[in-house]
Amino acid sequence: MRSRVLASAMALAVTAAALTPVAAQARPADPLDAVNTFIGTQDEGNTFPGASAPFGMVQSSPITTHYAGYLYTDTAIRGFGHFFLSGAGCWEQGGLVSMLPTTGDIGPGAAFDTSKPATFDQAKYAAPYTHEGEVGKPGYYKVHLTGYGGIDVETTASTRSGVERYSFDKSGPANVFVNVGQANAKEPVSGSSVRIVDDHTIAGTVESQAFCGGKPYTTYFTTKFDQPFSSYGTWSPDGGTPGSRSAQGGAGLRGAWLTFPKGGQVTATTSISQVDARGADTNLAASRVRPFDAVKKDVQRDWRRELSSVDITGGTPDDRTVFYTSLYHAFLQPLTANDADGRYYGFDKKIHRAIGWTYYDFFSLWDTYRSQNQLLALLKPDRARDIAKSILAIHDQGGWLPRWAYASQETNTMTGDPVTPFLVDLWRFGALSGEEMHAYQALLQNSTEIPPASSPFQGRSGNASYQADGFVQYDPNFPKKGQDTDPAHGASATLEYALADCSLSVMASALGRKQDAKQLAAKGRTYATLWDPSVTDRGFTGYFRPKVTGGSWYTPADGPYSPQGQDGFHEGTAWQYQWLVQQDVPGLVAKMGGAANAGKRLDDFFAYDDLVKDPAKTAHEKWVVGPYDYYKQFRYNPNNEPDLHSPWMYTLTGQPWKTSAVVRAAHTLFTNAPNGVTGNDDLGTMSAWYVFSALGLYPAVPGTGNFVLNAPRFAKSVVHLPNGRDFTINARGANGAQLQYVSGLRVNGTASDKTFVSLEQLRRGSTLDFALTADAPKATWGTSPSSAPPSPCAG
């Protein structure tokens, strides 16, 4: 994925500018002008360029050959779907209710031959398109289809509707194909239906498979056109039937065509629901079918309000585009999941109603707990409260807390215990006010117990071994209920459990549960059970190593254990996971032989000596470069979640200037180009990482409410908090094109040697004034033993 080899950050910027589909404007006053929704649509970033409202239920975006929907290098568009995730990694990612405008006669022996079923395969009738004039902005997408005589397609959206406007260059009759039997590539559709309601309206269902091999679920839709269609028909696996008003069945080609006698310009508004057909109709009525430009104006007003949470000054036009596009991507999910009347389909398979709040679904917790969750909690506390309430509703209705929730089901995707730091941070940010004990009891159950066999939730499936012996056994054949199970990755699961338990100990202590807090803090140090002091690699001694049932060290059948191997670790190696102990930095440092030795490991991990000579080249050549290149690695993987906090481990171990250097090098991977995201964006996780690190602060230690600092990328950033206060970050002379280090800090005018600020400081409206230097020896700020934040579970 990241095979671009560039001599410098400036060369990277030139290359990125050449690939940019929408030219960035110099310092636009409107943040919408700084967003490029094509960023991440190539090299497995898995974003989509089409239209969505903030946290919207419906998206309207093009489908090409890629499983995430759109691939920038493709040359034909199969349709415009109405459900997408942004940046996810598994294949099943939507593209439901795919619509494509066409021209040409439809019938036996016609241009679209109804006697041949393959005629209605969207891969066959896809339209070629051009990037010339293609536009991707928040709430608006435009593209010119060069086939079928030429057609402009524009898309916009409201929270529960997607809207397309088709403008036909060719005069005369025009068609719209509505495909319910196909979706994104690799998204299985196991059943579908479509029916003609009247001469403006169609409706139907799509039964598709949930994410990462989940169970099938049904999406209901209703589409209304702004002008009547004069003729119609449906297709099925046997071919097309002119005049047919409905079609339904299992897997296979299925859909409807609608012919508009005058062509010209046709607008379609589509609403969906996961509750029932009534829900789709209700959402369409609430969206108030309106002219395209009115919908666009409203959604862009909403996006302008969301993106204006942060004002930045300084940086290049590309810097601004990368920043605001990252903020945009972080505000796309989780997705609104209740209909306009409040109804939603719960995890108990019953219909519930959210009154006065929004129920959200589609939670990629293993990813988002590390950055995107805290960004939303800081900038959008009202949404964070509803997110927390949604997670608790899942627990109350389903009997357990989720890990990767998708379409009212638990997919059991990924491992560890991400929901604990996720909810604890929401508590720490105030999103659980009035629900603290409710949440705590759910979290304690999740931490200490295992769901019953009859439950669809897998929970902490390694808890039996972990609670008894302090580690999750490595057992790749352990039974599982879905995509993953913890013992199949026992070593990394142990580290994730320990981090989660430590964060819960912070909450327990604040709630007066002192005995629980003590026990959970001790669990936060169980990582030590997997430290094998006899293992050596690359000149260092001591690494985490899996244990099997009974407590013996795991040794592979084909040779000695290697910290670069894949066994026992999920999407990473012992080299990457050795840093997932930010809750007990003193304990980890001691095991590594002291701060000096820990620093040498970090230097090797980041290729630091090479990095200071050429940051961009080191990031692109020395670090892990493939989006799915998880194993047989000993270097920093900026494409995946286990390493996201690791640049700040330098700061936590007394070398903060190196954190700033690593972050600047990592920023060269984020560009104003289709391949400008590291790895999958994972529902805004990587984008939120960029937002925080560019501002100069990162929530490295879950549950503490502390933000660890680094050199900001911009000369000035003002964060507008919903409480009416702003916090301001000044960094005079900031220049993202070179390595810079912090030489001094003033907080509200007072000099500070602390390498962190608290949530409370930010919410009071603090001003942080950074002094920067390009001379590393002068960057002695924050190096005293008392500068770093305390580790919450140090022994």
Side-chain angles (χ1 to χ4, degrees), residues 424 427-428 501-511 517 702-704 792-793:
V424 169
W427 159 78
R428 188 66 182 77
D501 281 342
C502 178
S503 70
L504 188 55
S505 76
V506 175
M507 183 178 183
S509 179
L511 295 179
T704 63
C793 288

Side-chain angles (χ1 to χ4, degrees), residues 355 357 359 384-394 431-432 435:
I355 303 297
W357 63 286
Y359 175 75
R385 278 190 287 272
D386 286 355
I387 288 168
K389 193 167 185 175
S390 301
I391 294 286
L392 292 180
I394 291 172
L432 284 170
E435 295 286 341

